[in-house]
């Protein structure tokens, strides 16, 4: 019997400075409503403690075959290098400093006049911080949204 665990949001345990590991996970957890994230080693230990034999482990976000045009975190950032269409450029403009300020101002105005629900700006700000933390962690190779672990019960 095979058990697949997913999706797994994991810190890969590859970090040089303590700051990204201490700050970025909390921002990602808060911004995206993830209860808790563990490191890759923590996930492997949990698999072992549960009595499952690890059959496969792989970071599916790694572009080993070089078929991906852009990294997984690209749509959340403001890097224009991977933009292929004018719509890509337009969607990235809201993520740079001026676009984010304009979006926040418009959302705050809509919230003030009652068109947007109360708390919309605060929610958008929180998600923006989470996206920034994901981009930072992704560019540094600290985080993956697609870590595959397949375990097999040894008694089956």
């Amino acid at each position: 019997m095979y058990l697949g665990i997913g999706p797994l949001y994991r810190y890969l345990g590859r970090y040089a400075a303590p700051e990204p590991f201490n700050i970025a996970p909390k921002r990602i957890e808060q911004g995206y409503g993830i209860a808790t994230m563990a490191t890759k080693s923590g996930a492997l230990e949990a698999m072992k403690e549960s009595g499952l034999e690890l059959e496969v482990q792989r970071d599916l976000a790694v572009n080993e075959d070089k078929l991906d045009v852009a990294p997984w975190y690209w749509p959340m950032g403001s890097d224009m290098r991977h933009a292929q269409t004018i719509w890509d450029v337009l969607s990235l403009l809201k993520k740079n400093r001026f676009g984010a300020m304009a979006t926040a101002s418009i959302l705050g105005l809509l919230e003030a006049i009652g068109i947007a629900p109360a708390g919309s700006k605060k929610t958008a700000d929180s998600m923006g911080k989470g996206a920034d933390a994901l981009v930072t962690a992704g560019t540094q190779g600290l985080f993956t949204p697609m870590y595959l672990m397949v375990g097999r019960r040894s008694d089956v």
Side-chain angles (χ1 to χ4, degrees):
M1 175 182 202
Y2 288 94
L3 299 173
I5 302 173
L8 290 175
Y9 302 98
R10 293 288 172 250
Y11 254 83
L12 297 175
R14 297 188 296 240
Y15 54 92
E19 182 184 19
F21 188 73
N22 291 332
I23 294 174
K26 296 301 174 200
R27 288 187 180 155
I28 294 169
E29 288 171 353
Q30 178 188 5
Y32 289 95
I34 300 169
T36 13
M37 287 190 299
T39 61
K40 176 181 160 185
S41 60
L44 293 172
E45 184 64 31
M47 179 77 83
K48 187 185 300 182
E49 287 176 9
S50 69
L52 297 173
E53 293 179 31
L54 186 63
E55 294 286 317
V56 177
Q57 65 169 326
R58 184 170 163 220
D59 182 0
L60 299 176
V62 174
N63 189 12
E64 294 173 350
D65 52 10
K66 307 294 184 211
L67 294 176
D68 294 336
V69 175
W72 64 266
Y73 50 83
W74 172 74
M76 293 177 275
S78 60
D79 185 2
M80 297 282 185
R81 286 182 292 172
H82 302 292
Q84 296 180 359
T85 68
I86 188 68
W87 302 113
D88 289 345
V89 173
L90 292 174
S91 70
L92 290 175
L93 287 178
K94 66 182 178 220
K95 287 299 294 173
N96 69 24
R97 185 173 17 160
F98 301 112
M101 286 177 16
T103 302
S105 298
I106 292 169
L107 192 55
L109 176 65
L110 292 174
E111 188 176 327
I113 60 177
I115 294 175
S120 296
K121 184 178 179 307
K122 185 176 179 182
T123 301
D125 290 343
S126 177
M127 291 185 75
K129 287 179 183 175
D132 292 342
L134 280 174
V135 171
T136 300
T139 56
Q140 296 175 358
L142 300 176
F143 177 83
T144 180
M146 299 179 283
Y147 193 75
L148 174 69
M149 296 174 70
V150 178
R152 181 173 52 89
R153 286 183 24 191
S154 57
D155 60 348
V156 176

